[in-house]
Amino acid sequence: MKRIEFVLAVIAFASLSFGPDGEAASRSGRPNILLIVADDLGYADLGAYGSEIATPNIDSLAASGIRYTQFHASPFCSPTRAMLLSGNNNHVAGVASQQQSGIAGVAVTGYEASLSDRIAPFPRLLRDSGYATYTVGKWHLGVEEDQSPVAAGFTRSYNLLQGAASHFSDTGFENEKSLYRENGRLVSYPEGRYSTEVFTDKLLEFMEADLETGKPFFAFAAYTSPHWPLQVPDDYLDLYKGQFEEGYDVLRRRRFDSLKAAGIIPADWKLPPRNDAITPWEELSDDQKKVESRKMELYAAMVDNLDDHVGRLIAYLKENDLYDNTLIVFMADNGAAGEDFYEGIPYDGFRDYITANYDNRYEIMGKPGSFVSYGPQWAEAGSAPFRRYKGYTLEGGMVAPLIMTGPGVAGEGVINSTYLTVMDLAPTFIEIAGATYPDDGSVKPMLGESMVSFLAGESKTVHADDYVTLISHRGRSFVRQGQWKLVVVEGPFDEDKFELYDVLADPGETNDLRNSMPQIYTEMLETWRDERLKLGIILPKDL
């Protein structure tokens, strides 16, 4: 957006008046907000980030706005969603653990597994300030009515309540069918229709229903793509056939080089050593290579399909003269997904249900009856500049793509390496909407910081150098302050497992400085201890 246009928008916003019910008397200066979240999308999976996968619609957003290279989500999807909607740490927001409510069957603060009463979800604040608020897609923040999107402030909603499901039916993956709520009511999934199309249709339906009201809207498209199971409509099944036959080791190196060529990572970055736990491609049999390359073909097709539906949203905005007044934010919720529930580690007994309800024969792969995951071998290609993938508190588990464009965003085709967290989006949206976060002590203050002046080019950073970010989840933890990061790579948690990295000089987290920089290590350890108590993070020794 040109500077003069932004100034005019600010002037218009300052002159905005509201009716007694909080509805805007004028929409000038009150931009719409479209937030698109891709589920388990890797850092290097978009064309705008150097990928070979065709994503022209998402790339067009990057060309008109800003691509961020240091946007940090959480290692897992539901903690990220809790942080996104609250502007706070996942423990404060109530989702200390993705799958666990309480500890050992005992209710514990922070482990509610749904949004807590310690935060004010920003969609509720936007709704109360006069916005229409919509959400479609994955919820994963509780299945009960009082934990639903309606309770969080969405005026219209259609959501999968659990973390994943078949993309063509209500067959789940956790010994139960998947559950869907529409506007608070449990509903059936339309058997045979593809999830990304269903969610896009619903969101467009919601937007169309309120089009004549003149109200600004916040629309949250929480797609379940490209999250496993890797399934696509028939006309996408062979879209990438034969394109990944060189294997995941070659793709990882190629993605690393393409990220450099796209300007996403600096030319002097080093590719971290490959994960020795992954069988080298050349050691696979021909049949194994055939199956493995098919996995990546299907994943790429899912990303391609997702981009097509993002294009539908963009087209609708343009056709209805809404595009120029809509801030569009595209992001992923964590690092690339390395789980393999069908063939890999039997996570919490999921494998028995999955293998009984799905069929992964080669000729079925990608179709409605299959349950394909692409595993850590391909996930490490998706997070190529970093170590590991989803689930880890290393950078590979948390750094995700983020693109922002529209009113208030200064610059076109800009690549920015400023440190951001998913908690920063809530205060940004609240300020843009002219809403107010409660300051009466009824809820905890947000830990994220508004990006509004940064987006406008009025400030160079969002966070001060001493800003602290901390997450603990399933025994893996980290604390970051400035260039320094303490991280526990593998659980169970123990402070003695902390490693120290300078993530600015060593983004691949390959050079542990714990012993060579004992003073920094001690200071960061004290920061961890202080901050985790403030956030209510419970460790085994506390029980």
Side-chain angles (χ1 to χ4, degrees), residues 59 129 181 203 430 472 525:
D59 296 350
S129 73
R181 283 190 186 276
L203 186 55
I430 290 170
S472 183
L525 188 59

Side-chain angles (χ1 to χ4, degrees), residues 109-154:
T109 298
Y111 287 80
E112 291 89 348
S114 60
L115 295 177
S116 76
D117 59 6
R118 297 179 297 280
I119 59 94
F122 79 80
R124 186 189 303 162
L125 305 179
L126 267 60
R127 178 201 65 191
D128 293 346
S129 73
Y131 271 66
T133 52
Y134 316 130
T135 180
V136 297
K138 181 169 168 177
W139 182 241
H140 210 194
L141 293 170
V143 301
E144 303 301 329
E145 187 174 358
D146 63 353
Q147 303 166 343
S148 71
V150 172
F154 287 98

Side-chain angles (χ1 to χ4, degrees), residues 297-529:
E297 290 170 9
L298 295 172
Y299 178 83
M302 287 188 78
V303 176
D304 192 300
N305 173 273
L306 173 65
D307 182 78
D308 287 346
H309 288 284
V310 170
R312 292 179 62 203
L313 296 177
I314 295 172
Y316 179 85
L317 295 176
K318 290 181 176 179
E319 289 165 4
N320 290 278
D321 296 324
L322 297 167
Y323 183 82
D324 290 339
N325 193 40
T326 301
L327 172 68
I328 302 177
V329 179
F330 179 94
M331 59 170 277
D333 60 350
N334 43 242
E339 304 104 326
D340 188 343
F341 289 155
Y342 198 96
E343 298 175 347
I345 299 171
Y347 292 83
D348 300 327
F350 294 162
R351 182 193 287 172
D352 290 343
Y353 179 83
I354 291 170
T355 54
N357 287 275
Y358 296 90
D359 182 352
N360 270 15
R361 286 174 295 161
Y362 182 82
E363 60 270 22
I364 305 294
M365 290 174 68
K367 296 182 179 180
S370 66
F371 196 102
V372 178
S373 308
Y374 72 175
Q377 56 273 26
W378 293 105
E380 294 220 339
S383 55
F386 309 114
R387 282 176 62 199
R388 300 300 186 266
Y389 37 81
K390 174 184 174 182
Y392 285 90
T393 45
L394 293 165
E395 298 293 272
M398 299 183 299
V399 183
L402 172 69
I403 297 168
M404 302 182 75
T405 185
V409 179
E412 297 180 357
V414 173
I415 298 174
N416 189 285
S417 61
T418 299
Y419 177 74
L420 304 172
T421 87
V422 68
M423 296 182 291
D424 299 328
L425 292 174
T428 302
F429 296 153
I430 290 170
E431 182 174 351
I432 287 170
T436 303
Y437 191 83
D439 60 359
D440 57 4
S442 59
V443 292
K444 297 284 188 180
M446 289 183 290
L447 296 180
E449 298 183 12
S450 174
M451 300 165 59
V452 170
S453 63
F454 170 73
L455 293 173
E458 297 174 344
S459 60
K460 294 184 178 180
T461 60
V462 175
H463 300 290
D465 291 342
D466 61 353
Y467 181 78
V468 175
T469 314
L470 184 152
I471 286 178
S472 183
H473 189 271
R474 293 184 179 177
R476 294 169 178 162
S477 305
F478 85 94
V479 58
R480 174 166 175 172
Q481 187 172 37
Q483 71 197 84
W484 304 111
K485 177 179 175 181
L486 280 186
V487 59
V488 171
V489 179
E490 298 285 2
F493 178 83
D494 188 323
E495 281 190 354
D496 287 340
K497 292 183 177 180
F498 269 128
E499 301 170 7
L500 174 66
Y501 295 101
D502 178 347
V503 286
L504 296 187
D506 178 25
E509 295 166 289
T510 59
N511 182 24
D512 182 5
L513 302 173
R514 171 175 174 165
N515 294 325
S516 61
M517 305 196 73
Q519 182 176 346
I520 298 295
Y521 173 80
T522 300
E523 291 172 356
M524 289 296 292
L525 188 59
E526 288 303 312
T527 299
W528 154 262
R529 290 169 176 168

Side-chain angles (χ1 to χ4, degrees), residues 234-271:
D234 288 347
D235 51 348
Y236 286 82
L237 278 169
D238 294 326
L239 203 58
Y240 287 84
K241 192 170 183 61
Q243 294 194 30
F244 299 100
E245 292 178 348
E246 292 180 293
Y248 39 74
D249 290 324
V250 169
L251 183 63
R252 179 172 177 261
R253 293 191 295 271
R254 184 176 294 153
R255 286 283 185 87
F256 183 72
D257 291 340
S258 66
L259 285 160
K260 286 186 178 181
I264 301 299
I265 61 175
D268 60 352
W269 275 25
K270 305 296 183 184
L271 181 65

